[in-house]
């Protein structure tokens, strides 16, 4: 697991300290992300603004699958 930038492994939440600590202890992680990452649409917006250097897209076509803004 780890494909969701908005949750920790096992769908644990960033805003629940005991869940963050449980994951850190279970995996023996000295460091762990402290906040959620960008969602798909947010990544493309950040890319357009120059906030991302690169974006690897696999097994999907964002031009077809992402929602279209109005």
């Amino acid at each position: 697991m780890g494909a969701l930038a908005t949750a920790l492994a096992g769908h644990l939440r960033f805003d629940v300290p005991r869940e963050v600590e449980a994951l850190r202890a279970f995996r023996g992680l000295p460091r762990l992300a402290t906040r959620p990452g960008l969602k798909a649409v947010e990544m493309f917006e950040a890319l357009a603004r120059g906030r991302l250097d690169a974006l690897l897209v696999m097994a999907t076509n964002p031009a077809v699958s992402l929602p279209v803004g109005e």
Side-chain angles (χ1 to χ4, degrees):
M1 213 288 227
L4 298 174
T6 58
L8 295 167
H11 299 280
L12 297 176
R13 294 174 40 163
F14 286 95
D15 60 347
V16 180
R18 74 177 188 287
E19 291 186 3
V20 175
E21 273 310 310
L23 179 61
R24 184 178 289 138
F26 180 75
R27 293 286 184 194
L29 301 170
R31 296 183 325 157
L32 189 61
T34 58
R35 64 182 193 275
L38 300 175
K39 298 174 186 169
V41 172
E42 294 168 336
M43 281 191 269
F44 283 95
E45 291 169 347
L47 189 65
R49 288 190 301 260
R51 291 186 50 223
L52 290 180
D53 293 326
L55 179 65
L56 176 63
V57 178
M58 297 174 27
T60 189
N61 180 351
V64 174
S65 62
L66 287 179
V68 177
E70 294 182 35

